[in-house]
Amino acid sequence: VDAFVDEVLVELAAMAKDGSRPMRSGPKPPLVGPALREAVMAIWCVGFCGMQWWAIGQLCEIPFGTLYGLFARWTRLGLWRRLLERLRRRWRLACGDAPEPSAVVIDSRSCRSAPSCCERGIDGGKKIRGVKIHVAVDKYGIPLAIDISPANRHDTKGIVPVLRTLAAGGFDGAALGDLGYRGERLAEAGQALGINVAAIARGRDGRFVPAGICWVVERSFAWLSRYRRLNIIFERSKEHLIAFIAIAFISILSRRMRRLVAEEPCA
């Protein structure tokens, strides 16, 4: 938790310095020092433990409206997206790779959702009423793009916004997916964006068979299952759901970077 909080505070300071986090005037002073640190820790607890906003507000003695307001404002300003991108590049450089990958793995996961969720549909194959999380990850399982759609939307349609986000970020490599991403329409949409969508079989005789780096996206979804806020979706805003997914991976990467720094003196 401390590693996550430290990285968020560093990014908040960087955003305040470059002007992307303007300070608003109001009757109450902004949270600073230990209070701000406690608020960031409370947001992490909401994502990891699945607690309600009012419950965590009671525990940390910060009004839940203040906590939710901070989370919503930081999401709107792009804090989680910026921090995830910075940590992903740092991790790749620490592993001896280029900051940006030459290939990504695409896939989706159907999640149950509450009736009040932002979008809802029925995945007939998995018998799940809820939403689909579409991601494109690098070989370390860290997402470059995330999108949400109703669970009844086919993968070939739901992945297109993810490809657009990748293209907007300058990615022009290959996107590897399972056989659900076959089809001329998706291939043409990928070519128009400069991305080669390749469908690769991941199973044989009804059994899962790892193919190259394609298995890493399954591990990424397994990581997300540890964060209870993402097991059953209650978010009424698509942006807030994407923010909690980013928070999960930020927590994973910040812990890895802290461990890496601790191991360097021993080496």
Side-chain angles (χ1 to χ4, degrees), residues 36-105:
L36 179 60
R37 188 177 186 88
E38 192 170 6
V40 175
M41 187 178 300
I43 293 174
W44 180 88
C45 288
V46 171
F48 184 76
C49 304
M51 300 180 67
Q52 292 91 345
W53 288 104
W54 66 267
I56 192 64
Q58 291 286 335
L59 290 177
C60 67
E61 298 182 352
I62 299 176
F64 74 92
T66 301
L67 291 175
Y68 182 79
L70 281 176
F71 169 75
R73 183 166 184 261
W74 290 344
T75 300
R76 187 172 63 254
L77 294 177
L79 166 67
W80 317 114
R81 173 183 50 79
R82 284 181 44 145
L83 181 52
L84 180 58
E85 286 294 315
R86 178 171 65 83
L87 289 175
R88 179 181 61 81
R89 293 190 180 98
R90 281 179 56 193
W91 177 252
R92 290 183 61 86
L93 290 173
C95 294
D97 284 317
E100 299 297 334
S102 58
V104 296
V105 185

Side-chain angles (χ1 to χ4, degrees), residues 101 103-109 133-139 141-147 154-167 171 173-183 186-187 189-190 193 195-202 208 211 213-221:
V104 296
V105 185
I106 55 177
D107 204 355
S108 67
R109 177 195 181 195
I133 301 174
H134 304 271
V135 297
V137 303
D138 63 3
K139 71 177 185 179
I142 310 303
L144 284 78
I146 308 169
D147 196 66
H154 196 269
D155 288 349
T156 55
K157 296 181 179 179
I159 202 63
V160 173
V162 173
L163 298 180
R164 290 174 182 161
T165 303
L166 290 174
F171 178 79
L176 311 177
D178 57 24
L179 297 182
Y181 294 99
R182 290 176 295 181
L186 180 59
L193 296 171
I195 299 174
N196 178 29
V197 180
I200 300 175
R202 299 183 193 170
F208 175 75
I213 64 171
C214 293
W215 63 273
V216 297
V217 69
E218 306 296 343
R219 183 182 61 180
S220 300
F221 287 138

Side-chain angles (χ1 to χ4, degrees), residues 109-111 119-125 128-134 149-158:
R109 177 195 181 195
S110 296
C111 300
E119 296 178 301
R120 219 176 178 209
I122 298 177
D123 185 341
I128 291 177
R129 183 192 295 269
V131 300
K132 267 187 182 179
I133 301 174
H134 304 271
S149 73
N152 59 346
R153 185 168 299 171
H154 196 269
D155 288 349
T156 55
K157 296 181 179 179

Side-chain angles (χ1 to χ4, degrees), residues 202-230:
R202 299 183 193 170
R204 187 180 302 120
D205 298 329
R207 297 176 59 188
F208 175 75
V209 177
I213 64 171
C214 293
W215 63 273
V216 297
V217 69
E218 306 296 343
R219 183 182 61 180
S220 300
F221 287 138
W223 289 340
L224 289 181
S225 66
R226 300 175 184 174
Y227 291 78
R228 295 187 178 181
R229 189 81 179 188
L230 302 175

Side-chain angles (χ1 to χ4, degrees), residues 237-266:
S237 168
K238 174 180 174 179
E239 291 73 21
H240 289 181
L241 175 54
I242 295 176
F244 274 116
I245 297 172
I247 286 173
F249 284 103
I250 290 169
S251 177
I252 293 169
L253 281 177
S254 59
R255 185 172 64 248
R256 286 185 183 180
M257 297 304 301
R258 176 68 62 87
R259 188 184 304 122
L260 188 64
V261 171
E263 290 176 354
E264 284 180 354
C266 300

